[in-house]
Amino acid sequence: GRRERAEDHPRSLTMTAENAQTAMLKARRFAGILSSESSGVMAVMRQNSRWALTGMASYGYGEPEEPADDPMLEEFKAMRRRLFTWRNWDEVSPIAYLAPFLQVVRSVETSGPITGMALSAVHKVLKHGLISEHNPDAAEAMHCIADAVTLCRFEATDPDNDDVVLSKILHVLLESVRCPTGALLSDDDVCNIVQACYRIGHQSGKESALLRNLSRHTLREIVQSVFKRLPRLSDALNHAHHIDAPVPPHTPTSPSSPGPQEGADSAEGAGADSKDGDEPEAANTNKENEVISPRADATAASDEFTPHGEPFGLACVLEIFRFACSFISLDDPADENAETMCAFGLQLVLSSLESAGDDFAKHPALLTLVQDDLSRAVLAVAPAGNPPVLAATAATVLQMYMVMHHDLKLQLEAFLRVVLLPLAEGPKPAVPGAKTNTGQDTNLAESQRIALECIVDLCRQPEFVPDLYVNYDCDLERPNLFEEVCALLSRSAFPREGSGVGQTNLLCLEGLLAIVGGIADRSADAPPVDGFLVDGEVDFTAPSVNPSGGGVGSGASFDAKEVWSAVDGGADAASGMPGGVQRAHRLRRNRDVKRRLISCAEHFNKSPKKGLAYMQEIGLLPDPLDASTVAKFFKHAPGLEKETLGEFLGDPKEFMVDVLKAYCGTFNFTGVTLDKALRSFLDGFKLPGEAQKISRILEVFAARYHEANPGAVADADSAYVLSYSIIMLNTDQHNPQVKNKMTLEQFVRNNRGTNGGSDWPRETLEYIFEAIATDEIKLESTDASPALSQSRWNDIVRGCATGKGRMMTAVATDEACMYDGELFGIVWSPTVSAIAVVFEHPVDDSVLKEALDGFLGVARVAGHHRLTDVVDSLVGTLCKFASPPYASLDGNNAVSVASGDKVKPSVLFGNDDRARTAAVTAFTVASRYGDNIREGWAHILELTLRLHRMELLSEKVLENLGPDTRDGGTMRTLDGTEASASFHKRKKAEAKKNAGGNSLLRGFSQLLSLDGDWGGGGGETPMGEDEKEAEARAVRCVDACRVDEVFADSKFLESDSLTHMVGALVRAAGGKPAVPGEEGAEGADT
């Protein structure tokens, strides 16, 4: 140990010497920076007449001929005298060398060039890290910089020079937040910086485009830097400086400043002190001189530095986020400037989400802002905004989903059903003869494209499709969002009649392929599931058989108790369960119940009487009918037509009245105001038109409300009178045919003495009047895109508060695989149909390749889970496109083309990219998933024969397709001659029935020999170089199909697949090759 200490001692001395050397070099470098910057500032100051000297000016190293009396120059001199005496800069107070520069920045006597030089010096101090985080005065120094620069004042000269200075202010403010010591700024400092940056670019409304865009860029960078520190902030909410909300700028006489005059010597600042959150006053319209300042409280600022607070925290972050959200609004109609500012606000929000979106949910106050303020603003501006606003909205929605979707269940539903799905439908087809607005149609088409791109991007997220299915389609209270998204993509993937495949159609195809791709990726890691595919159509009149296992009626008869148990439990029971098999079974049961209720609702909508009888027949409702069970069905069944239900509930028959009372009893009105309770009650049905029915319904509602809130109203009659008055007020305020609207005083007078003989509290009536006047009680339709009213938004906010706004915990891959059967059953057929459309229209090669990858994706899922019908459908579709009409001709039969020339079928095939790629894909599917092919073997065999007729099976392929010698050698005809393997050398011979072996390849080889006798002959058609190259491409394509390997590997096929292959061979050998599906093909089985 003594030896170790002896060895370490020289090393420690060396390290100390190195540290001292480093500190000396650092001190020299820092001193040099400040020396050069101070010299520059002093030189520019002395060029101004105010600080000019009669003799040689001193720069701090000698006495001037005529000493300057100005205190700012004296401060620079004093700082320069001590500059090179400082050795340890971590112990030097930054105020000692910053004070002269900041004094120039704050002075109203300095011109723009002088202030700009001082700002450049401060920027260099921050950029080079002169202020260390370990310096005890670092926080005070950062506060002084923020305070001085945000209160920077200088004399206006010309707009260009003024813009240069303002740009430097922006750079300094950005660097002060972005540098390591920026974390020491206080809440007030950061809020002042944000407000100053905004005012620089938007104070007068006449700033240059460059300055305005630089201001916005700086704000985005500041927001990004602030939110990157969010993970290190606590939830403590301290008072923060209020950032003024965006207000319309005043109209100045000078485009470069907020004052009326220009070129004056000095002036006061630009407004009143706003440190306590007061609104900024107008700029110095009554001042004689013009001074530019980025802060509204410049006039009240003294030359002394104010004390700084604690480092900024969550309160500052909340204020900045609220400030960004305040831009997201549009008037109707919105001008271009408003839309630009709205898009800018969305960009600020997007920057914050990109920087720290994963940490938003850890701070409840910030999450509430996202769930309420931000989501409501986005939903309001997206449908009415222009494409740039919609693009920013779509990016924000996508980012919100990626970072916090578990807390935005209700908001995501609103985004999809109110914004994205309606816009993605696109403009309706123009009516013949009607006038069209070209500009509006262009915007609508662009909006459709943006909405579709957002939906497709969402579908590309691995967890999006399982999230939709689990949280919405399996929730009895929520719409079937996954089905709605698939239905939209399926409809829009097909071009309109008479038009080609456009970008919109291809986008929808991408969405479908993304869904299939996600299922395929999950299937690769999951074991095969027998009966994987779940049919979307269920026969509810028969015992339900669910091959996937679990859920209601899994191989058992219908049980009404299961349905009502699922209704009573709803999604809440499943949401509380841990992820896994048990939860999957519960959710699939909910999904099955939901299907049953939708089917019953459809029967009820057609005929209430027959619908109830149908539900009794299947056991959902008891016989005789029970009012409470019928009411429960009305409350929870999705898809009920509100008008039909309203007429039923308003019927005066005794049973209908009992149902009405039971239905009203399903609502919980405790602690809810009368107008909100009435909104919630009327949201489920449409009031009938007959006055007596309306009165009967309101009487039952009033009795239920009084029962739940006995202290809120005097009696049930009082609740009835006020409810009826609210209905009348709603009609009066929102019916365009009513010209003279009811006033508040009239509403109060009409309800005087109706609360058990007493007056209602005036504040109650004022609240109700304001709520109804601003938010109509509107019955939403049951269509896919309901409008978002204020009352519905209030329901969303209340749902978030009660926990209904949270999605279930993350769906793991093994659990998601249990839902993939139904997902695949919904999406595979429209996907294959949409891909087929691509083959029918001219498209780019990249699109064609993507379509073929989609085929393989569907085949991958179908093959993994043994879905033979799906694989057969794929093979049939591919063989159809790989077998154009000319492929049925003999190789020597030329085909007449449009130019009148004769072209061989093989040449046409070589020039047909679609046919070649479809052929390769078809044989790829057959090679990989041959065990799952049944009827598809007939299509594969027919395609092979057509390729053979076109002379595209090469000698090598034909040789490999020949029989093995171990199976008896080359097959012979009845006259003893060998059946040659070469089609080119074979002569026509009389077709005779073959005798011989039992090898499948021998049978296939003989089939090719017989196929040579079919079709006409003819001499060789001379070909040019282009035609030879095309035929060579065709041959290479067929070689890539590996036809011989497909049939050679048939010995490894499972028995069912092999049986169907042999059957296809037998049918094909019965004479002229039979095309599957054509008349007479069945007869070939003999």
Side-chain angles (χ1 to χ4, degrees):
R2 187 174 302 170
R3 184 181 300 112
E4 291 177 358
R5 287 194 296 272
E7 293 175 356
D8 290 343
H9 185 64
R11 186 181 305 170
S12 61
L13 291 177
T14 303
M15 294 176 62
T16 303
E18 291 178 354
N19 292 338
Q21 181 68 16
T22 302
M24 183 181 67
L25 294 175
K26 176 181 174 182
R28 186 177 301 171
R29 181 168 63 89
F30 286 0
I33 291 174
L34 289 173
S35 176
S36 62
E37 293 300 317
S38 60
S39 297
V41 175
M42 295 173 67
V44 176
M45 290 178 66
R46 288 197 174 98
Q47 291 177 4
N48 189 289
S49 59
R50 184 173 299 164
W51 291 282
L53 299 177
T54 56
M56 178 175 291
S58 170
Y59 284 83
Y61 300 103
E63 292 298 325
E65 296 180 3
E66 295 184 10
D69 296 326
D70 189 89
M72 284 191 288
L73 284 174
E74 292 298 329
E75 284 195 27
F76 276 110
K77 295 175 185 178
M79 184 266 291
R80 289 170 60 81
R81 292 189 187 100
R82 294 179 294 166
L83 196 56
F84 289 96
T85 63
W86 293 326
R87 294 291 180 264
N88 189 351
W89 280 73
D90 288 342
E91 297 178 358
V92 176
S93 174
I95 304 297
Y97 52 81
L98 284 174
F101 298 104
L102 299 183
Q103 192 68 25
V104 172
V105 171
R106 294 170 64 109
S107 175
V108 296
E109 298 178 353
T110 54
S111 62
I114 298 174
T115 304
M117 285 296 296
L119 288 168
S120 297
V122 175
H123 184 265
K124 185 173 288 189
V125 167
L126 295 170
K127 197 75 174 177
H128 288 268
L130 270 67
I131 306 175
S132 171
E133 297 176 82
H134 307 293
N135 193 302
D137 295 326
E140 181 69 28
M142 294 305 300
H143 166 70
C144 292
I145 291 175
D147 194 58
V149 178
T150 56
L151 291 172
C152 173
R153 294 172 289 178
F154 62 93
E155 296 177 356
T157 53
D158 62 87
D160 291 339
N161 288 329
D162 294 341
D163 282 358
V164 171
V165 180
L166 292 172
S167 298
K168 290 184 177 181
I169 293 176
L170 291 172
H171 287 300
V172 173
L173 293 177
L174 173 59
E175 192 60 35
S176 66
V177 176
R178 195 162 51 182
C179 68
T181 49
L184 302 176
L185 293 167
S186 67
D187 284 335
D188 284 351
D189 290 333
V190 177
C191 291
N192 283 334
I193 287 173
V194 171
Q195 183 167 333
C197 291
Y198 171 72
R199 288 177 61 85
I200 286 175
H202 308 85
Q203 187 173 23
S204 67
K206 295 186 177 180
E207 288 80 8
S208 65
L210 178 62
L211 185 63
R212 188 163 53 249
N213 287 317
L214 181 60
S215 169
R216 295 172 186 172
H217 170 74
T218 303
L219 281 171
R220 285 194 293 269
E221 293 292 320
I222 289 176
V223 168
Q224 186 177 7
S225 298
V226 169
F227 276 84
K228 279 184 177 179
R229 296 181 177 126
L230 181 61
R232 300 189 294 273
L233 302 182
S234 67
D235 283 334
L237 288 176
N238 300 319
H239 172 72
H241 182 99
H242 173 69
I243 304 178
D244 294 329
V247 294
H250 55 272
T251 304
T253 55
S254 169
S256 62
S257 66
Q261 298 183 13
E262 185 174 331
D265 292 336
S266 65
E268 297 296 332
D273 190 355
S274 64
K275 283 192 176 183
D276 293 330
D278 298 329
E279 290 294 324
E281 297 179 3
N284 50 337
T285 54
N286 297 323
K287 305 299 179 183
E288 296 179 357
N289 302 312
E290 180 187 11
V291 172
I292 295 180
S293 175
R295 278 264 297 271
D297 52 359
T299 53
S302 65
D303 290 338
E304 299 296 329
F305 297 115
T306 58
H308 72 282
E310 294 296 322
F312 77 89
L314 184 61
C316 170
V317 173
L318 290 173
E319 190 59 37
I320 292 176
F321 193 80
R322 192 177 292 111
F323 171 74
C325 292
S326 64
F327 290 99
I328 309 174
S329 63
L330 288 175
D331 296 328
D332 190 15
D335 57 14
E336 183 178 355
N337 181 62
E339 291 182 334
T340 301
M341 294 307 298
C342 180
F344 169 62
L346 288 166
Q347 292 168 2
L348 290 181
V349 169
L350 191 59
S351 295
S352 66
L353 293 173
E354 291 170 346
S355 300
D358 294 330
D359 296 285
F360 272 52
K362 300 176 183 177
H363 304 278
L366 194 55
L367 179 61
T368 301
L369 280 179
V370 175
Q371 291 176 331
D372 191 355
D373 295 42
L374 174 60
S375 298
R376 180 174 48 183
V378 167
L379 287 166
V381 302
N386 62 0
V389 172
L390 181 59
T393 301
T396 304
V397 170
L398 178 62
Q399 191 67 28
M400 289 169 65
Y401 173 80
M402 290 193 295
V403 299
M404 60 179 78
H405 64 278
H406 289 298
D407 297 290
L408 299 175
K409 176 179 179 179
L410 303 179
Q411 288 81 358
L412 178 62
E413 175 188 333
F415 290 146
L416 285 169
R417 304 192 86 218
V418 177
V419 179
L420 296 179
L421 291 176
L423 289 175
E425 289 285 358
K428 296 181 180 179
V431 179
K435 294 183 178 180
T436 59
N437 187 332
T438 305
Q440 183 179 7
D441 291 344
T442 302
N443 282 342
L444 289 175
E446 182 64 14
S447 298
Q448 180 188 20
R449 184 188 63 80
I450 294 172
L452 281 173
E453 286 178 345
C454 183
I455 293 175
V456 172
D457 286 339
L458 287 170
C459 291
R460 291 192 178 109
Q461 309 306 312
E463 67 276 9
F464 177 72
V465 170
D467 275 345
L468 280 191
Y469 180 76
V470 166
N471 291 282
Y472 301 97
D473 294 56
C474 293
D475 189 339
L476 298 176
E477 299 179 359
R478 306 258 63 89
N480 295 333
L481 277 185
F482 174 72
E483 287 190 3
E484 291 181 12
V485 169
C486 286
L488 167 76
L489 296 176
S490 302
R491 289 193 304 271
S492 302
F494 295 90
R496 292 176 180 173
E497 186 176 356
S499 60
V501 177
Q503 291 300 318
T504 299
N505 310 122
L506 296 178
L507 268 176
C508 294
L509 177 59
E510 284 185 36
L512 293 172
L513 294 179
I515 296 173
V516 172
I519 298 174
D521 292 340
R522 289 190 293 272
S523 295
D525 301 325
V529 178
D530 291 333
F532 170 79
L533 188 61
V534 178
D535 191 357
E537 299 296 330
V538 181
D539 182 9
F540 297 111
T541 60
S544 176
V545 178
N546 187 349
S548 58
V552 175
S554 179
S557 61
F558 179 81
D559 187 357
K561 292 182 180 180
E562 290 279 355
V563 175
W564 300 124
S565 174
V567 168
D568 293 335
D572 295 336
S575 62
M577 299 172 63
V581 176
Q582 187 179 2
R583 185 173 72 175
H585 284 314
R586 172 66 67 91
L587 290 173
R588 292 174 66 178
R589 185 194 70 165
N590 289 353
R591 175 63 177 154
D592 194 13
V593 168
K594 192 175 184 180
R595 275 211 192 105
R596 295 176 183 273
L597 293 178
I598 291 175
S599 176
C600 293
E602 291 174 352
H603 283 79
F604 181 85
N605 293 336
K606 295 176 182 178
S607 172
K609 183 177 180 180
K610 293 181 180 180
L612 294 177
Y614 166 78
M615 285 180 264
Q616 286 180 297
E617 179 184 349
I618 65 173
L620 181 63
L621 297 180
D623 189 8
L625 287 173
D626 176 65
S628 61
T629 309
V630 175
K632 186 182 293 186
F633 169 76
F634 289 162
K635 180 66 183 297
H636 297 285
L640 282 174
E641 289 185 0
K642 296 184 177 183
E643 185 173 357
T644 303
L645 180 56
E647 291 293 336
F648 184 93
L649 295 176
D651 196 294
K653 295 178 183 178
E654 182 179 356
F655 178 74
M656 279 65 166
V657 174
D658 291 341
V659 173
L660 173 61
K661 292 178 180 179
Y663 176 76
C664 198
T666 61
F667 291 86
N668 182 13
F669 295 141
T670 304
V672 181
T673 60
L674 183 63
D675 64 307
K676 291 182 179 179
L678 188 59
R679 287 181 189 274
S680 177
F681 179 64
L682 296 180
D683 188 59
F685 64 94
K686 180 179 180 181
L687 278 175
E690 188 177 339
Q692 292 182 350
K693 292 185 177 182
I694 296 176
S695 177
R696 188 178 300 108
I697 292 174
L698 291 182
E699 285 177 1
V700 174
F701 164 77
R704 170 63 182 149
Y705 184 81
H706 176 255
E707 179 185 353
N709 302 277
V713 293
D715 49 40
D717 290 339
S718 301
Y720 166 79
V721 173
L722 185 56
S723 298
Y724 214 106
S725 181
I726 290 175
I727 297 295
M728 299 300 294
L729 175 65
N730 185 74
T731 304
D732 175 271
Q733 293 293 309
H734 301 285
N735 191 333
Q737 297 179 357
V738 179
K739 302 301 180 183
N740 298 322
K741 303 294 184 182
M742 185 186 303
T743 64
L744 172 62
E745 295 302 325
Q746 291 174 331
F747 179 69
V748 172
R749 186 169 60 252
N750 291 343
N751 290 281
R752 189 170 298 163
T754 59
N755 187 17
S758 302
D759 291 344
W760 295 91
R762 183 176 177 86
E763 57 270 17
T764 300
L765 296 180
E766 288 179 351
Y767 169 80
I768 291 175
F769 183 89
E770 182 67 20
I772 299 300
T774 56
D775 183 16
E776 178 185 3
I777 299 179
K778 184 184 298 182
L779 293 177
E780 316 295 352
S781 66
T782 55
D783 296 337
S785 55
L788 187 70
S789 62
Q790 182 61 41
S791 60
R792 189 169 290 275
W793 180 255
N794 292 336
D795 292 339
I796 290 177
V797 174
R798 283 194 295 268
C800 292
T802 58
K804 291 186 177 181
R806 277 192 59 82
M807 290 187 179
M808 296 185 193
T809 54
V811 180
T813 301
D814 56 344
E815 182 185 352
C817 291
M818 301 189 66
Y819 311 121
D820 283 341
E822 182 162 349
L823 301 181
F824 189 70
I826 294 172
V827 77
W828 82 265
S829 181
T831 301
V832 172
S833 300
I835 296 174
V837 171
V838 172
F839 279 86
E840 297 172 354
H841 295 80
V843 293
D844 294 337
D845 292 343
S846 59
V847 176
L848 194 61
K849 181 181 181 304
E850 185 177 4
L852 294 174
D853 290 341
F855 269 129
L856 293 176
V858 175
R860 186 154 46 123
V861 179
H864 185 75
H865 294 287
R866 306 179 183 279
L867 307 177
T868 58
D869 291 344
V870 178
V871 178
D872 284 341
S873 176
L874 277 178
V875 170
T877 302
L878 287 167
C879 290
K880 169 188 171 184
F881 291 109
S883 305
Y886 58 78
S888 61
L889 300 177
D890 186 272
N892 290 324
N893 283 337
V895 180
S896 298
V897 295
S899 61
D901 298 333
K902 298 287 187 178
V903 182
K904 291 180 63 177
S906 57
V907 174
L908 294 176
F909 188 78
N911 289 324
D912 193 339
D913 293 338
R914 287 173 178 76
R916 296 200 315 276
T917 51
V920 172
T921 308
F923 282 102
T924 300
V925 172
S927 176
R928 294 180 182 177
Y929 311 108
D931 284 337
N932 302 287
I933 299 178
R934 301 293 184 266
E935 301 301 329
W937 283 119
H939 299 284
I940 292 291
L941 183 58
E942 175 62 21
L943 175 59
T944 304
L945 293 175
R946 292 193 175 191
L947 295 175
H948 178 55
R949 294 187 205 113
M950 290 189 291
E951 304 178 6
L952 293 177
L953 296 182
S954 64
E955 296 290 342
K956 179 181 178 181
V957 172
L958 290 173
E959 181 180 351
N960 291 335
L961 284 174
D964 196 304
T965 55
R966 290 172 295 179
D967 293 325
T970 305
M971 292 187 68
R972 297 176 177 273
T973 59
L974 290 178
D975 59 2
T977 59
E978 291 187 356
S980 174
S982 174
F983 176 78
H984 300 286
K985 298 178 180 180
R986 187 168 59 250
K987 298 181 179 179
K988 289 184 60 179
E990 182 178 359
K992 297 180 180 179
K993 186 174 181 179
N994 296 309
N998 54 5
S999 169
L1000 181 62
L1001 277 180
R1002 291 177 64 198
F1004 187 71
S1005 177
Q1006 183 67 18
L1007 178 62
L1008 294 182
S1009 301
L1010 292 174
D1011 187 60
D1013 297 330
W1014 185 85
E1020 291 285 342
T1021 304
M1023 295 188 298
E1025 292 299 325
D1026 293 341
E1027 292 177 324
K1028 291 180 180 179
E1029 176 59 28
E1031 189 173 52
R1033 281 196 302 270
V1035 173
R1036 289 195 298 270
C1037 167
V1038 176
D1039 287 344
C1041 292
R1042 301 180 182 273
V1043 180
D1044 49 339
E1045 294 183 8
V1046 171
F1047 290 96
D1049 293 341
S1050 60
K1051 56 188 175 183
F1052 301 112
L1053 292 177
E1054 294 181 355
S1055 58
D1056 287 346
S1057 179
L1058 185 60
T1059 300
H1060 282 79
M1061 174 186 274
V1062 172
L1065 282 169
V1066 171
R1067 288 195 299 270
K1072 180 179 179 180
V1075 180
E1078 287 187 358
E1079 185 179 356
E1082 293 79 1
D1085 292 339
T1086 58

